[in-house]
Amino acid sequence: MNKKKNRKKQGFTLIEVIAVLVIIAILAAAAVPKFLSLIEEARQKAREGALASGQSACSLVYGKLCLANEAAPSAAEVATGAAIAPPT
């Protein structure tokens, strides 16, 4: 009788291991598409952030040139000012 008790404490059965693997596979199949869409969304938001940063830099340079020259600067002056000395 002592051998039967020890035998049950040895570990998991093959059926239990397979059941856990199937559950993990089902969860992974549901999570992977969601994860991939999050990656693409993050890349899109990074692109939008970079564009907004550039627009902000141009706006700051435009404002500085307006104050310095007391007149509206041309697009070339704004582009040159933004490229040479980006605002800090």
Side-chain angles (χ1 to χ4, degrees):
M1 180 146 162
N2 215 5
K3 286 185 179 182
K4 285 186 179 181
K5 281 187 179 180
N6 288 339
R7 197 171 185 197
K8 289 195 179 226
K9 293 182 180 181
Q10 286 181 349
F12 299 108
T13 64
L14 182 60
I15 300 291
E16 291 171 333
V17 172
I18 290 174
V20 169
L21 290 176
V22 167
I23 291 170
I24 290 173
I26 291 170
L27 291 173
V32 168
K34 176 80 173 166
F35 179 71
L36 292 177
S37 71
L38 288 176
I39 290 174
E40 184 54 37
E41 185 178 335
R43 287 182 180 148
Q44 178 63 29
K45 295 298 181 186
R47 287 189 290 266
E48 290 174 7
L51 286 174
S53 174
Q55 289 174 338
S56 176
C58 287
S59 293
L60 286 172
V61 169
Y62 180 83
K64 285 181 180 180
L65 289 174
C66 282
L67 290 173
N69 299 336
E70 297 181 3
S74 67
E77 290 173 323
V78 173
T80 303
I84 292 174
T88 56

